[in-house]
Amino acid sequence: MAGDEGLQEFLVLFAHHNMYFNMRFQELEALAALQGILKPDLYVEAPPSALNASPAVLVRMRQEDARKICERAVLVKAVLEVWSLGHSCPEAVQTAVAQGEAVRRQRRRFLAPPLKLQLRVEAFGRTLTVEEKTEIMEGIRPLFDGDEVVDLKAPDTTLWVLEEHRHESVEKTHLGPRKCRPERVIIGRQVAGGRSVDKKIKGGEKCYFQLYDLSQRAVLGPTTLENELAFIMANCACVQSGQFGMDPFCGTGGLLLAMAHFGAKLFGGEIDIRVVRGWRIAYTKNKAAVLEAAQKRGLQSTSPSAAKACGKKPAERLEASSEADGVMTLQYLLKLGLPVQGVSVKKLKQTNPNARAEKDHALASAGGCNIFTNFVQYDLPSPDVVVCDNAMPCWRQPAGGWLDFIVTDPPYGVRAGAKKQGREGKEVVVQDVSSYIPSKVSYGEDELSHDLLGFASESLRDGGRLVFLVPVDLADFLGIDRAAVEQGVENLRPNMHDICHPKSGRKKDPRLCISETTRDPLLLDETRYVDFIPQHTHLTLMSASLQILSGGLGRLLVVMQRRPR
């Protein structure tokens, strides 16, 4: 850091998210970097890793930095000023009392009337009963003078008592038996709250990212990225207002939507025009939001029958929408100046000869079930999306780069196969280039990674970040020969599709029935990830963490940074 003025020691308390708990340190380090706090200066002790099962870590930062991090983080629950530590609640209270009268008077500033107090008693690793919570509250009575005012709805000070329990087990499918007593007990004052810990108090609000929950969105696709993971990846990329970013495999725009929330100028690339236009790929999740988005787009009518046309072929959608006089009318398409398969341009001109093309990018696609609809729903600027092939980038590359970050979830053959332009067999002479859509062939995982890192090397500015997901087979981490276990298959490593869709008669290896909350060191040791992550001489690997999926699969969240030129 440039200066250490105002730095204090705080305890960051993480939310125990079953799917993304291993990503907590990645997000914290990225958000701290936005405040000018580098990783070597952040932690009080040695930098932790995913092998650390604790939900809390001691850090150095300013109080204002703690508030900013909590406002944005997905996995940070609260930031505490530690008053006392102990192996039990009585020991922690005794330590706090023994710190002297001067410390007691200093803490009294946060407890004395007319200030109002809220007390939170929680445990990690087990559930406390009402009787146990009451016993703890009685046990910390020596910390108070007895005249404190308690208000659970509008407190000025929130005091935490946190019990941390450890599970001892070598099994991969459960946490194992608990110890009889907690590993440690923490007593501290909350200086910043995150992840909606204040939602029950007066004026409290839900987490900002819950507004974008998939169940509330107007349009979804079969591969739309989970909402919280999208925001975690945006935070790991340090997305800020005024920056330029891209998702070269944008699909239905889930990642772009998360990045747009922070005010960045965004670009997207997608090879499948059906996804961009919403032809037989996207579907309506929230019909009310679709119709509201249509109104924001300035349409004259928003009949519900228009929303039903989203899954039809282009020509069929025209017929259905013309009857509804809604989102997909002939007049509307003519207004956009869009060519439509199955309908002649002459017919469109006869419908409305005075119409002109629409300049709004959010309107410049056919119908209301496209990737721009969600941006209209949330009043966010629409990204500039280009139908292109990642294997043959269409973007100009100025010296020094032009992007501040690239955040993407490449297709890897589980729910959507990776494709690139190409043709197998006989060459075809293209008669009409304006309406020709090139054929596609399979896009190998290694080739895709090579092209992605090469594009990031050229496009990122110095210090720019590349954040992406990498699929892995957990059998490789555990030393299991998956092919030898399956019937009739020897000396063959199956591809990702075969793993996710096993043939009938194949046996499942119980060793690969792994819980998403596993603490197996063979799976959580970050040093073992290097062999599975593609590398580039111009990109530095900053961090990686593992998310456990079903079927013995997983995926790594990888963060890289462009080295100075």
Side-chain angles (χ1 to χ4, degrees):
M1 295 183 64
D4 293 342
E5 298 81 1
L7 287 183
Q8 298 176 255
E9 289 190 7
F10 294 115
L11 186 84
V12 175
L13 177 63
F14 296 101
H16 191 270
H17 198 298
N18 285 342
M19 293 188 291
Y20 310 129
F21 187 63
N22 296 333
M23 303 174 183
R24 62 196 187 280
F25 298 121
Q26 284 180 294
E27 185 187 39
L28 174 63
E29 292 162 9
L31 295 180
L34 284 177
Q35 309 305 321
I37 307 174
L38 302 181
K39 184 176 179 178
D41 304 320
L42 175 62
Y43 298 109
V44 175
E45 301 172 343
S49 69
L51 290 170
N52 182 0
S54 174
V57 63
L58 285 171
V59 299
R60 296 187 189 93
M61 62 179 63
R62 291 173 289 269
Q63 187 165 327
E64 183 60 30
D65 297 334
R67 291 194 181 98
K68 292 180 179 179
I69 289 174
C70 282
E71 287 175 358
R72 177 161 172 169
V74 177
L75 299 175
V76 174
K77 190 171 187 177
V79 177
L80 310 180
E81 177 188 67
V82 178
W83 284 9
S84 179
L85 293 171
H87 293 291
S88 65
C89 186
E91 181 181 333
V93 172
Q94 183 179 0
T95 302
V97 172
Q99 291 171 347
E101 190 62 30
V103 175
R104 186 184 182 92
R105 285 196 300 269
Q106 184 179 4
R107 292 171 178 168
R108 177 71 176 167
R109 296 184 295 113
F110 304 105
L111 303 176
L115 296 180
K116 300 174 183 179
L117 171 67
Q118 180 191 51
L119 187 61
R120 297 179 65 98
V121 179
E122 295 191 9
F124 173 81
R126 63 165 299 189
T127 300
L128 295 176
T129 64
V130 175
E131 291 76 14
E132 289 172 327
K133 289 185 177 182
T134 303
E135 181 182 352
I136 292 174
M137 291 180 183
E138 290 295 330
I140 64 173
R141 187 180 291 273
L143 300 180
F144 305 100
D145 289 355
D147 60 346
E148 290 81 7
V149 179
V150 176
D151 190 338
L152 302 182
K153 292 295 183 181
D156 300 298
T157 300
T158 300
L159 198 63
W160 286 70
V161 180
L162 175 68
E163 282 190 358
E164 183 179 344
H165 294 259
R166 295 288 180 90
H167 295 257
E168 296 181 331
S169 174
V170 296
E171 297 293 333
K172 295 185 286 294
T173 56
H174 59 81
L175 294 172
R178 288 188 291 265
K179 291 184 178 180
C180 297
R181 54 180 295 178
E183 183 80 11
R184 62 175 176 174
V185 174
I186 303 165
I187 300 177
R189 177 181 68 90
Q190 177 178 307
V191 298
R195 196 170 169 80
S196 195
V197 296
D198 299 328
K199 64 183 178 181
K200 294 183 179 180
I201 67 175
K202 185 177 180 180
E205 297 180 354
K206 292 184 178 181
C207 304
Y208 72 93
F209 50 85
Q210 291 182 354
L211 176 67
Y212 301 91
D213 190 83
L214 298 187
S215 63
Q216 303 300 320
R217 293 192 193 174
V219 175
L220 291 180
T223 60
T224 301
L225 191 65
E226 202 278 327
N227 179 50
E228 290 181 331
L229 180 56
F231 277 97
I232 292 172
M233 294 177 68
N235 285 337
C236 289
C238 298
V239 177
Q240 298 182 78
S241 178
Q243 290 185 333
F244 291 87
M246 173 181 285
D247 180 359
F249 302 94
C250 67
T252 50
L255 273 168
L256 291 175
L257 194 69
M259 294 184 283
H261 171 83
F262 299 113
K265 173 61 179 176
L266 300 173
F267 302 87
E270 174 58 48
I271 193 172
D272 194 343
I273 192 173
R274 301 173 303 166
V275 176
V276 178
R277 294 287 181 87
W279 292 343
R280 301 180 67 86
I281 298 294
Y283 61 91
T284 300
K285 179 64 176 179
N286 185 343
K287 289 187 177 181
V290 171
L291 300 180
E292 181 182 355
Q295 290 179 338
K296 292 179 180 179
R297 285 171 160 173
L299 302 182
Q300 296 178 353
S301 174
T302 54
S303 170
S305 58
K308 297 181 181 179
C310 296
K312 299 179 180 292
K313 294 181 179 180
E316 296 173 349
R317 290 166 61 181
L318 279 176
E319 181 180 356
S321 57
S322 60
E323 296 176 358
D325 193 26
V327 178
M328 288 296 299
T329 59
L330 293 173
Q331 292 86 349
Y332 177 55
L333 292 180
L334 181 59
K335 179 182 178 183
L336 302 181
L338 291 171
V340 181
Q341 299 175 11
V343 179
S344 66
V345 177
K346 182 178 180 180
K347 180 178 180 180
L348 288 174
K349 289 184 177 181
Q350 291 174 350
T351 307
N352 189 349
N354 298 322
R356 59 186 180 88
E358 175 59 54
K359 295 182 180 180
D360 187 352
H361 292 290
L363 297 177
S365 47
C369 283
N370 52 66
I371 65 174
F372 301 105
T373 305
N374 291 332
F375 292 88
V376 178
Q377 175 190 359
Y378 292 107
D379 294 318
L380 295 174
S382 296
D384 293 319
V385 178
V386 177
V387 179
C388 61
D389 184 0
N390 183 70
M392 295 180 286
C394 60
W395 313 94
R396 295 181 180 179
Q397 301 296 346
W402 60 288
L403 293 174
D404 297 290
F405 55 87
I406 297 174
V407 184
T408 188
D409 176 21
Y412 36 84
V414 177
R415 290 185 298 171
K419 299 291 184 180
K420 65 176 183 178
Q421 293 182 16
R423 180 178 294 277
E424 297 178 354
K426 184 179 178 181
E427 293 291 335
V428 175
V429 179
V430 179
Q431 302 293 338
D432 185 2
V433 178
S434 62
S435 61
Y436 174 70
I437 299 178
S439 59
K440 301 174 183 65
V441 296
S442 297
Y443 197 5
E445 184 179 328
D446 293 338
E447 185 181 3
L448 184 153
S449 300
H450 178 271
D451 293 340
L452 175 62
L453 268 61
F455 173 72
S457 170
E458 296 179 350
S459 303
L460 287 174
R461 296 188 175 114
D462 293 350
R465 294 198 174 200
L466 169 63
V467 180
F468 63 108
L469 298 173
V470 176
V472 291
D473 184 357
L474 301 183
D476 296 334
F477 290 94
L478 300 174
I480 299 175
D481 187 353
R482 186 190 289 267
V485 175
E486 297 173 346
Q487 292 182 356
V489 181
E490 294 182 358
N491 302 320
L492 175 65
R493 180 185 178 188
N495 57 40
M496 302 299 288
H497 183 273
D498 291 337
I499 297 172
C500 296
H501 307 283
K503 297 179 180 179
S504 58
R506 287 184 176 180
K507 296 180 180 179
K508 291 184 178 180
D509 192 332
R511 294 174 296 174
L512 294 177
C513 297
I514 303 172
S515 169
E516 58 188 5
T517 58
T518 181
R519 309 310 305 165
D520 190 337
L522 293 177
L523 298 174
L524 302 182
D525 186 358
E526 297 176 15
T527 60
R528 308 188 65 192
Y529 299 160
V530 178
D531 295 336
F532 301 91
I533 298 174
Q535 304 291 330
H536 195 283
T537 55
H538 297 157
L539 299 172
T540 301
L541 176 62
M542 299 188 66
S543 61
S545 61
L546 177 66
Q547 178 191 0
I548 305 295
L549 303 175
S550 60
L553 299 179
R555 56 184 175 186
L556 298 173
L557 173 59
V558 180
V559 180
M560 292 184 168
Q561 189 171 43
R562 181 59 165 89
R563 291 172 177 164
R565 288 172 171 81

